[in-house]
Amino acid sequence: MNDFWISSGHHLLDRDENGGLHVTDEFLKLYLARPELLPPPDACAVERTLHASLLADPRRSVSASDIAAIADQDARENWQLLISFRDQLLRHKTLEAAFSALARNGFGNIPPLFINQLVHVILRNALDGIEDPRVLRAAELFFRAQRVTLHECSLIAADEEKIGGVNTTPVTPLVSMLGIPPEANIDIINGENADGYWERSDQFDMALDLTAGREGLGALAQAMQRWIGHVIGVDVTIEPLTKLNDVNLAWYVGLDSDASKIGDMLWHDEDIDEETMARVVGLFRLNFDDPAVMLDKVKGEPVYLILAMTADKTIRMKPQNLLTGLPVRHLEPVS
């Protein structure tokens, strides 16, 4: 079986009997290796001691007073964010359960980088065994921003960080250990070169064709099916659509902030100009394999998923919306 996304750190985690990911000390130590947490030469004794003690026991209790005693303000803020995030993970049996709880209750001040890393490793687990690299490339939209361009009448998405050349800092320490080059050639993944993805999956340097009616949106639909089934245990079938005509939006989910706004406008029958509609990248129809799990008011009706890009042609997908936005009975808030 081909491995992929080694930089997610999935090989440092344990799986439970249901396939969920258990936090390990080795996984927690990855965060301590981040440059923001490595004490600089001039760090105070309190910060150096805290870092060393967590390397020895990544689960040890850290109080507010422990962090308050650190001399540097930026260091205090970094440690507060890390310990808060770590404690969120340790409160739950699996990473999947931790992410679901955060999605329901809000991410608060958790850095988006940490959320993306969490999605990365959970999605790596969910997609284990996938044989089509195009599904894996499409799944990168879940945790990495994409820049979209129109090329020869095709809508092409490429990794924003890779093509931007602005931020060359590795996303995780593992990426640095792998020696991934800061610059790489960008190829559009297709049937002929897809097998090359396995060797370069951690480089995020293959572009994806998201033109309506082509395989890119179909690959993304498969990734979303896997994500929903793995994280909340609900089996669904998702298919991409090519037109928005005659769609009854009984229930819809925006897969990003812009898509949610466009969905709201469609729901209220507001006039939408062509420029705004042109920002819709993908429209999908979702059906539950077992309609009994749906809320009564929409039971049997399809759910529509909308993916859009920003005015500056960037896709920033919110995979948590696929967990919190679906009309599923057992996901209703407990009163």
PDB file of all heavy atoms in Angstrom, residues 55-87:
ATOM      1  N   LEU A  55       9.088  18.019  27.255  1.00  0.00           N
ATOM      2  CA  LEU A  55       9.736  17.014  26.420  1.00  0.00           C
ATOM      3  C   LEU A  55       9.823  15.691  27.158  1.00  0.00           C
ATOM      4  O   LEU A  55       9.692  14.615  26.564  1.00  0.00           O
ATOM      5  CB  LEU A  55      11.141  17.486  26.011  1.00  0.00           C
ATOM      6  CG  LEU A  55      11.223  18.499  24.879  1.00  0.00           C
ATOM      7  CD1 LEU A  55      12.669  18.933  24.670  1.00  0.00           C
ATOM      8  CD2 LEU A  55      10.664  17.919  23.584  1.00  0.00           C
ATOM      9  N   ALA A  56      10.020  15.761  28.476  1.00  0.00           N
ATOM     10  CA  ALA A  56      10.083  14.541  29.287  1.00  0.00           C
ATOM     11  C   ALA A  56       8.700  13.953  29.529  1.00  0.00           C
ATOM     12  O   ALA A  56       8.528  12.730  29.572  1.00  0.00           O
ATOM     13  CB  ALA A  56      10.772  14.840  30.623  1.00  0.00           C
ATOM     14  N   ASP A  57       7.708  14.834  29.675  1.00  0.00           N
ATOM     15  CA  ASP A  57       6.331  14.383  29.929  1.00  0.00           C
ATOM     16  C   ASP A  57       5.371  15.349  29.244  1.00  0.00           C
ATOM     17  O   ASP A  57       4.925  16.322  29.843  1.00  0.00           O
ATOM     18  CB  ASP A  57       6.056  14.336  31.432  1.00  0.00           C
ATOM     19  CG  ASP A  57       4.623  13.904  31.750  1.00  0.00           C
ATOM     20  OD1 ASP A  57       3.929  13.437  30.820  1.00  0.00           O
ATOM     21  OD2 ASP A  57       4.193  14.028  32.925  1.00  0.00           O
ATOM     22  N   PRO A  58       5.049  15.097  27.978  1.00  0.00           N
ATOM     23  CA  PRO A  58       4.207  16.038  27.218  1.00  0.00           C
ATOM     24  C   PRO A  58       2.806  16.215  27.766  1.00  0.00           C
ATOM     25  O   PRO A  58       2.108  17.154  27.382  1.00  0.00           O
ATOM     26  CB  PRO A  58       4.156  15.406  25.816  1.00  0.00           C
ATOM     27  CG  PRO A  58       5.316  14.484  25.756  1.00  0.00           C
ATOM     28  CD  PRO A  58       5.497  13.976  27.147  1.00  0.00           C
ATOM     29  N   ARG A  59       2.375  15.332  28.674  1.00  0.00           N
ATOM     30  CA  ARG A  59       1.021  15.419  29.226  1.00  0.00           C
ATOM     31  C   ARG A  59       0.978  16.077  30.604  1.00  0.00           C
ATOM     32  O   ARG A  59      -0.093  16.201  31.199  1.00  0.00           O
ATOM     33  CB  ARG A  59       0.407  14.024  29.335  1.00  0.00           C
ATOM     34  CG  ARG A  59       0.304  13.296  28.002  1.00  0.00           C
ATOM     35  CD  ARG A  59      -0.092  11.834  28.207  1.00  0.00           C
ATOM     36  NE  ARG A  59       0.012  11.090  26.957  1.00  0.00           N
ATOM     37  CZ  ARG A  59      -1.022  10.810  26.161  1.00  0.00           C
ATOM     38  NH1 ARG A  59      -2.243  11.187  26.529  1.00  0.00           N
ATOM     39  NH2 ARG A  59      -0.859  10.145  25.037  1.00  0.00           N
ATOM     40  N   ARG A  60       2.117  16.485  31.104  1.00  0.00           N
ATOM     41  CA  ARG A  60       2.153  17.026  32.449  1.00  0.00           C
ATOM     42  C   ARG A  60       1.284  18.272  32.552  1.00  0.00           C
ATOM     43  O   ARG A  60       1.109  19.037  31.606  1.00  0.00           O
ATOM     44  CB  ARG A  60       3.581  17.358  32.887  1.00  0.00           C
ATOM     45  CG  ARG A  60       4.259  18.447  32.087  1.00  0.00           C
ATOM     46  CD  ARG A  60       5.301  19.197  32.885  1.00  0.00           C
ATOM     47  NE  ARG A  60       4.659  20.080  33.859  1.00  0.00           N
ATOM     48  CZ  ARG A  60       5.220  21.168  34.354  1.00  0.00           C
ATOM     49  NH1 ARG A  60       6.440  21.512  33.990  1.00  0.00           N
ATOM     50  NH2 ARG A  60       4.587  21.930  35.222  1.00  0.00           N
ATOM     51  N   SER A  61       0.712  18.460  33.731  1.00  0.00           N
ATOM     52  CA  SER A  61      -0.158  19.610  33.956  1.00  0.00           C
ATOM     53  C   SER A  61       0.660  20.908  33.927  1.00  0.00           C
ATOM     54  O   SER A  61       1.755  20.976  34.498  1.00  0.00           O
ATOM     55  CB  SER A  61      -0.856  19.461  35.318  1.00  0.00           C
ATOM     56  OG  SER A  61      -1.625  20.597  35.605  1.00  0.00           O
ATOM     57  N   VAL A  62       0.116  21.898  33.241  1.00  0.00           N
ATOM     58  CA  VAL A  62       0.755  23.215  33.178  1.00  0.00           C
ATOM     59  C   VAL A  62      -0.277  24.239  33.631  1.00  0.00           C
ATOM     60  O   VAL A  62      -1.357  24.350  33.040  1.00  0.00           O
ATOM     61  CB  VAL A  62       1.232  23.544  31.746  1.00  0.00           C
ATOM     62  CG1 VAL A  62       1.823  24.947  31.695  1.00  0.00           C
ATOM     63  CG2 VAL A  62       2.247  22.510  31.262  1.00  0.00           C
ATOM     64  N   SER A  63       0.029  24.957  34.674  1.00  0.00           N
ATOM     65  CA  SER A  63      -0.913  25.933  35.225  1.00  0.00           C
ATOM     66  C   SER A  63      -0.713  27.299  34.594  1.00  0.00           C
ATOM     67  O   SER A  63       0.311  27.576  33.952  1.00  0.00           O
ATOM     68  CB  SER A  63      -0.734  26.034  36.741  1.00  0.00           C
ATOM     69  OG  SER A  63       0.527  26.604  37.052  1.00  0.00           O
ATOM     70  N   ALA A  64      -1.693  28.160  34.807  1.00  0.00           N
ATOM     71  CA  ALA A  64      -1.594  29.528  34.305  1.00  0.00           C
ATOM     72  C   ALA A  64      -0.406  30.244  34.938  1.00  0.00           C
ATOM     73  O   ALA A  64       0.265  31.059  34.294  1.00  0.00           O
ATOM     74  CB  ALA A  64      -2.881  30.284  34.592  1.00  0.00           C
ATOM     75  N   SER A  65      -0.134  29.925  36.191  1.00  0.00           N
ATOM     76  CA  SER A  65       0.988  30.572  36.876  1.00  0.00           C
ATOM     77  C   SER A  65       2.324  30.126  36.292  1.00  0.00           C
ATOM     78  O   SER A  65       3.288  30.899  36.279  1.00  0.00           O
ATOM     79  CB  SER A  65       0.936  30.273  38.377  1.00  0.00           C
ATOM     80  OG  SER A  65       0.989  28.882  38.621  1.00  0.00           O
ATOM     81  N   ASP A  66       2.383  28.875  35.832  1.00  0.00           N
ATOM     82  CA  ASP A  66       3.621  28.398  35.192  1.00  0.00           C
ATOM     83  C   ASP A  66       3.949  29.251  33.972  1.00  0.00           C
ATOM     84  O   ASP A  66       5.102  29.618  33.741  1.00  0.00           O
ATOM     85  CB  ASP A  66       3.460  26.937  34.757  1.00  0.00           C
ATOM     86  CG  ASP A  66       3.371  25.978  35.928  1.00  0.00           C
ATOM     87  OD1 ASP A  66       3.936  26.302  36.985  1.00  0.00           O
ATOM     88  OD2 ASP A  66       2.737  24.919  35.771  1.00  0.00           O
ATOM     89  N   ILE A  67       2.924  29.550  33.181  1.00  0.00           N
ATOM     90  CA  ILE A  67       3.131  30.332  31.954  1.00  0.00           C
ATOM     91  C   ILE A  67       3.350  31.807  32.283  1.00  0.00           C
ATOM     92  O   ILE A  67       4.176  32.487  31.667  1.00  0.00           O
ATOM     93  CB  ILE A  67       1.929  30.153  31.011  1.00  0.00           C
ATOM     94  CG1 ILE A  67       1.821  28.679  30.586  1.00  0.00           C
ATOM     95  CG2 ILE A  67       2.051  31.062  29.791  1.00  0.00           C
ATOM     96  CD1 ILE A  67       0.611  28.365  29.747  1.00  0.00           C
ATOM     97  N   ALA A  68       2.622  32.302  33.288  1.00  0.00           N
ATOM     98  CA  ALA A  68       2.743  33.716  33.656  1.00  0.00           C
ATOM     99  C   ALA A  68       4.147  34.063  34.124  1.00  0.00           C
ATOM    100  O   ALA A  68       4.565  35.227  34.036  1.00  0.00           O
ATOM    101  CB  ALA A  68       1.726  34.050  34.746  1.00  0.00           C
ATOM    102  N   ALA A  69       4.885  33.073  34.599  1.00  0.00           N
ATOM    103  CA  ALA A  69       6.231  33.325  35.109  1.00  0.00           C
ATOM    104  C   ALA A  69       7.268  33.470  33.999  1.00  0.00           C
ATOM    105  O   ALA A  69       8.403  33.863  34.253  1.00  0.00           O
ATOM    106  CB  ALA A  69       6.648  32.188  36.054  1.00  0.00           C
ATOM    107  N   ILE A  70       6.880  33.182  32.750  1.00  0.00           N
ATOM    108  CA  ILE A  70       7.808  33.341  31.623  1.00  0.00           C
ATOM    109  C   ILE A  70       8.013  34.832  31.349  1.00  0.00           C
ATOM    110  O   ILE A  70       7.050  35.604  31.304  1.00  0.00           O
ATOM    111  CB  ILE A  70       7.264  32.627  30.369  1.00  0.00           C
ATOM    112  CG1 ILE A  70       7.186  31.120  30.625  1.00  0.00           C
ATOM    113  CG2 ILE A  70       8.125  32.915  29.154  1.00  0.00           C
ATOM    114  CD1 ILE A  70       6.518  30.346  29.515  1.00  0.00           C
ATOM    115  N   ALA A  71       9.242  35.235  31.163  1.00  0.00           N
ATOM    116  CA  ALA A  71       9.563  36.660  31.057  1.00  0.00           C
ATOM    117  C   ALA A  71       9.062  37.293  29.758  1.00  0.00           C
ATOM    118  O   ALA A  71       8.517  38.398  29.769  1.00  0.00           O
ATOM    119  CB  ALA A  71      11.083  36.852  31.188  1.00  0.00           C
ATOM    120  N   ASP A  72       9.224  36.613  28.636  1.00  0.00           N
ATOM    121  CA  ASP A  72       8.902  37.196  27.337  1.00  0.00           C
ATOM    122  C   ASP A  72       7.402  37.109  27.053  1.00  0.00           C
ATOM    123  O   ASP A  72       6.798  36.032  27.138  1.00  0.00           O
ATOM    124  CB  ASP A  72       9.687  36.475  26.238  1.00  0.00           C
ATOM    125  CG  ASP A  72       9.472  37.105  24.875  1.00  0.00           C
ATOM    126  OD1 ASP A  72      10.077  38.148  24.605  1.00  0.00           O
ATOM    127  OD2 ASP A  72       8.673  36.546  24.095  1.00  0.00           O
ATOM    128  N   GLN A  73       6.796  38.226  26.676  1.00  0.00           N
ATOM    129  CA  GLN A  73       5.355  38.262  26.428  1.00  0.00           C
ATOM    130  C   GLN A  73       4.944  37.384  25.257  1.00  0.00           C
ATOM    131  O   GLN A  73       3.953  36.648  25.330  1.00  0.00           O
ATOM    132  CB  GLN A  73       4.894  39.701  26.174  1.00  0.00           C
ATOM    133  CG  GLN A  73       3.398  39.818  25.898  1.00  0.00           C
ATOM    134  CD  GLN A  73       2.951  41.250  25.669  1.00  0.00           C
ATOM    135  OE1 GLN A  73       3.686  42.190  25.953  1.00  0.00           O
ATOM    136  NE2 GLN A  73       1.739  41.410  25.144  1.00  0.00           N
ATOM    137  N   ASP A  74       5.682  37.457  24.143  1.00  0.00           N
ATOM    138  CA  ASP A  74       5.342  36.632  22.988  1.00  0.00           C
ATOM    139  C   ASP A  74       5.430  35.152  23.330  1.00  0.00           C
ATOM    140  O   ASP A  74       4.591  34.346  22.891  1.00  0.00           O
ATOM    141  CB  ASP A  74       6.264  36.947  21.808  1.00  0.00           C
ATOM    142  CG  ASP A  74       6.009  38.323  21.218  1.00  0.00           C
ATOM    143  OD1 ASP A  74       4.895  38.845  21.417  1.00  0.00           O
ATOM    144  OD2 ASP A  74       6.917  38.866  20.562  1.00  0.00           O
ATOM    145  N   ALA A  75       6.443  34.802  24.091  1.00  0.00           N
ATOM    146  CA  ALA A  75       6.592  33.401  24.504  1.00  0.00           C
ATOM    147  C   ALA A  75       5.413  32.968  25.372  1.00  0.00           C
ATOM    148  O   ALA A  75       4.890  31.855  25.228  1.00  0.00           O
ATOM    149  CB  ALA A  75       7.910  33.208  25.257  1.00  0.00           C
ATOM    150  N   ARG A  76       4.973  33.847  26.267  1.00  0.00           N
ATOM    151  CA  ARG A  76       3.814  33.515  27.113  1.00  0.00           C
ATOM    152  C   ARG A  76       2.586  33.247  26.258  1.00  0.00           C
ATOM    153  O   ARG A  76       1.847  32.276  26.489  1.00  0.00           O
ATOM    154  CB  ARG A  76       3.526  34.657  28.097  1.00  0.00           C
ATOM    155  CG  ARG A  76       4.533  34.806  29.217  1.00  0.00           C
ATOM    156  CD  ARG A  76       3.976  35.649  30.363  1.00  0.00           C
ATOM    157  NE  ARG A  76       3.592  36.989  29.948  1.00  0.00           N
ATOM    158  CZ  ARG A  76       4.416  38.034  29.944  1.00  0.00           C
ATOM    159  NH1 ARG A  76       5.673  37.889  30.318  1.00  0.00           N
ATOM    160  NH2 ARG A  76       3.985  39.228  29.572  1.00  0.00           N
ATOM    161  N   GLU A  77       2.356  34.083  25.253  1.00  0.00           N
ATOM    162  CA  GLU A  77       1.188  33.905  24.383  1.00  0.00           C
ATOM    163  C   GLU A  77       1.280  32.592  23.611  1.00  0.00           C
ATOM    164  O   GLU A  77       0.287  31.867  23.486  1.00  0.00           O
ATOM    165  CB  GLU A  77       1.076  35.080  23.423  1.00  0.00           C
ATOM    166  CG  GLU A  77       0.731  36.401  24.112  1.00  0.00           C
ATOM    167  CD  GLU A  77       0.712  37.571  23.142  1.00  0.00           C
ATOM    168  OE1 GLU A  77       1.045  37.371  21.948  1.00  0.00           O
ATOM    169  OE2 GLU A  77       0.364  38.685  23.568  1.00  0.00           O
ATOM    170  N   ASN A  78       2.470  32.276  23.113  1.00  0.00           N
ATOM    171  CA  ASN A  78       2.644  31.022  22.373  1.00  0.00           C
ATOM    172  C   ASN A  78       2.374  29.812  23.258  1.00  0.00           C
ATOM    173  O   ASN A  78       1.716  28.849  22.845  1.00  0.00           O
ATOM    174  CB  ASN A  78       4.062  30.933  21.792  1.00  0.00           C
ATOM    175  CG  ASN A  78       4.285  31.903  20.647  1.00  0.00           C
ATOM    176  OD1 ASN A  78       3.338  32.337  19.994  1.00  0.00           O
ATOM    177  ND2 ASN A  78       5.537  32.265  20.401  1.00  0.00           N
ATOM    178  N   TRP A  79       2.876  29.872  24.485  1.00  0.00           N
ATOM    179  CA  TRP A  79       2.665  28.748  25.391  1.00  0.00           C
ATOM    180  C   TRP A  79       1.200  28.631  25.811  1.00  0.00           C
ATOM    181  O   TRP A  79       0.668  27.529  25.959  1.00  0.00           O
ATOM    182  CB  TRP A  79       3.567  28.887  26.619  1.00  0.00           C
ATOM    183  CG  TRP A  79       4.978  28.458  26.351  1.00  0.00           C
ATOM    184  CD1 TRP A  79       6.078  29.255  26.185  1.00  0.00           C
ATOM    185  CD2 TRP A  79       5.429  27.114  26.181  1.00  0.00           C
ATOM    186  NE1 TRP A  79       7.190  28.498  25.927  1.00  0.00           N
ATOM    187  CE2 TRP A  79       6.818  27.175  25.923  1.00  0.00           C
ATOM    188  CE3 TRP A  79       4.812  25.871  26.228  1.00  0.00           C
ATOM    189  CZ2 TRP A  79       7.591  26.028  25.717  1.00  0.00           C
ATOM    190  CZ3 TRP A  79       5.586  24.734  26.018  1.00  0.00           C
ATOM    191  CH2 TRP A  79       6.949  24.809  25.767  1.00  0.00           C
ATOM    192  N   GLN A  80       0.540  29.734  26.000  1.00  0.00           N
ATOM    193  CA  GLN A  80      -0.891  29.689  26.338  1.00  0.00           C
ATOM    194  C   GLN A  80      -1.693  29.012  25.239  1.00  0.00           C
ATOM    195  O   GLN A  80      -2.551  28.165  25.503  1.00  0.00           O
ATOM    196  CB  GLN A  80      -1.413  31.110  26.576  1.00  0.00           C
ATOM    197  CG  GLN A  80      -0.964  31.740  27.879  1.00  0.00           C
ATOM    198  CD  GLN A  80      -1.284  33.228  27.952  1.00  0.00           C
ATOM    199  OE1 GLN A  80      -1.697  33.832  26.953  1.00  0.00           O
ATOM    200  NE2 GLN A  80      -1.079  33.831  29.112  1.00  0.00           N
ATOM    201  N   LEU A  81      -1.395  29.380  23.996  1.00  0.00           N
ATOM    202  CA  LEU A  81      -2.113  28.788  22.869  1.00  0.00           C
ATOM    203  C   LEU A  81      -1.832  27.297  22.755  1.00  0.00           C
ATOM    204  O   LEU A  81      -2.753  26.492  22.537  1.00  0.00           O
ATOM    205  CB  LEU A  81      -1.714  29.500  21.573  1.00  0.00           C
ATOM    206  CG  LEU A  81      -2.159  30.953  21.431  1.00  0.00           C
ATOM    207  CD1 LEU A  81      -1.527  31.590  20.201  1.00  0.00           C
ATOM    208  CD2 LEU A  81      -3.679  31.044  21.342  1.00  0.00           C
ATOM    209  N   LEU A  82      -0.575  26.924  22.905  1.00  0.00           N
ATOM    210  CA  LEU A  82      -0.226  25.509  22.765  1.00  0.00           C
ATOM    211  C   LEU A  82      -0.864  24.660  23.852  1.00  0.00           C
ATOM    212  O   LEU A  82      -1.456  23.617  23.570  1.00  0.00           O
ATOM    213  CB  LEU A  82       1.292  25.323  22.788  1.00  0.00           C
ATOM    214  CG  LEU A  82       1.717  23.852  22.774  1.00  0.00           C
ATOM    215  CD1 LEU A  82       1.375  23.208  21.438  1.00  0.00           C
ATOM    216  CD2 LEU A  82       3.186  23.678  23.101  1.00  0.00           C
ATOM    217  N   ILE A  83      -0.745  25.100  25.099  1.00  0.00           N
ATOM    218  CA  ILE A  83      -1.275  24.299  26.204  1.00  0.00           C
ATOM    219  C   ILE A  83      -2.791  24.207  26.130  1.00  0.00           C
ATOM    220  O   ILE A  83      -3.379  23.148  26.396  1.00  0.00           O
ATOM    221  CB  ILE A  83      -0.824  24.879  27.560  1.00  0.00           C
ATOM    222  CG1 ILE A  83       0.715  24.798  27.671  1.00  0.00           C
ATOM    223  CG2 ILE A  83      -1.473  24.135  28.700  1.00  0.00           C
ATOM    224  CD1 ILE A  83       1.292  23.404  27.509  1.00  0.00           C
ATOM    225  N   SER A  84      -3.437  25.278  25.734  1.00  0.00           N
ATOM    226  CA  SER A  84      -4.897  25.233  25.576  1.00  0.00           C
ATOM    227  C   SER A  84      -5.288  24.224  24.506  1.00  0.00           C
ATOM    228  O   SER A  84      -6.216  23.422  24.689  1.00  0.00           O
ATOM    229  CB  SER A  84      -5.421  26.622  25.204  1.00  0.00           C
ATOM    230  OG  SER A  84      -6.802  26.586  24.927  1.00  0.00           O
ATOM    231  N   PHE A  85      -4.574  24.230  23.391  1.00  0.00           N
ATOM    232  CA  PHE A  85      -4.846  23.284  22.307  1.00  0.00           C
ATOM    233  C   PHE A  85      -4.544  21.857  22.750  1.00  0.00           C
ATOM    234  O   PHE A  85      -5.345  20.942  22.519  1.00  0.00           O
ATOM    235  CB  PHE A  85      -4.002  23.660  21.092  1.00  0.00           C
ATOM    236  CG  PHE A  85      -4.188  22.757  19.910  1.00  0.00           C
ATOM    237  CD1 PHE A  85      -5.409  22.681  19.260  1.00  0.00           C
ATOM    238  CD2 PHE A  85      -3.139  21.971  19.446  1.00  0.00           C
ATOM    239  CE1 PHE A  85      -5.585  21.848  18.153  1.00  0.00           C
ATOM    240  CE2 PHE A  85      -3.305  21.138  18.346  1.00  0.00           C
ATOM    241  CZ  PHE A  85      -4.531  21.079  17.704  1.00  0.00           C
ATOM    242  N   ARG A  86      -3.399  21.653  23.390  1.00  0.00           N
ATOM    243  CA  ARG A  86      -3.044  20.314  23.875  1.00  0.00           C
ATOM    244  C   ARG A  86      -4.093  19.773  24.819  1.00  0.00           C
ATOM    245  O   ARG A  86      -4.513  18.603  24.721  1.00  0.00           O
ATOM    246  CB  ARG A  86      -1.685  20.361  24.583  1.00  0.00           C
ATOM    247  CG  ARG A  86      -1.206  19.009  25.088  1.00  0.00           C
ATOM    248  CD  ARG A  86      -0.274  19.120  26.272  1.00  0.00           C
ATOM    249  NE  ARG A  86      -0.942  19.671  27.463  1.00  0.00           N
ATOM    250  CZ  ARG A  86      -0.382  19.720  28.667  1.00  0.00           C
ATOM    251  NH1 ARG A  86       0.858  19.270  28.836  1.00  0.00           N
ATOM    252  NH2 ARG A  86      -1.032  20.234  29.695  1.00  0.00           N
ATOM    253  N   ASP A  87      -4.556  20.605  25.740  1.00  0.00           N
ATOM    254  CA  ASP A  87      -5.566  20.158  26.697  1.00  0.00           C
ATOM    255  C   ASP A  87      -6.872  19.800  26.001  1.00  0.00           C
ATOM    256  O   ASP A  87      -7.584  18.876  26.423  1.00  0.00           O
ATOM    257  CB  ASP A  87      -5.799  21.236  27.761  1.00  0.00           C
ATOM    258  CG  ASP A  87      -4.595  21.410  28.687  1.00  0.00           C
ATOM    259  OD1 ASP A  87      -3.702  20.534  28.647  1.00  0.00           O
ATOM    260  OD2 ASP A  87      -4.558  22.411  29.429  1.00  0.00           O
TER     261      ASP A  87
END
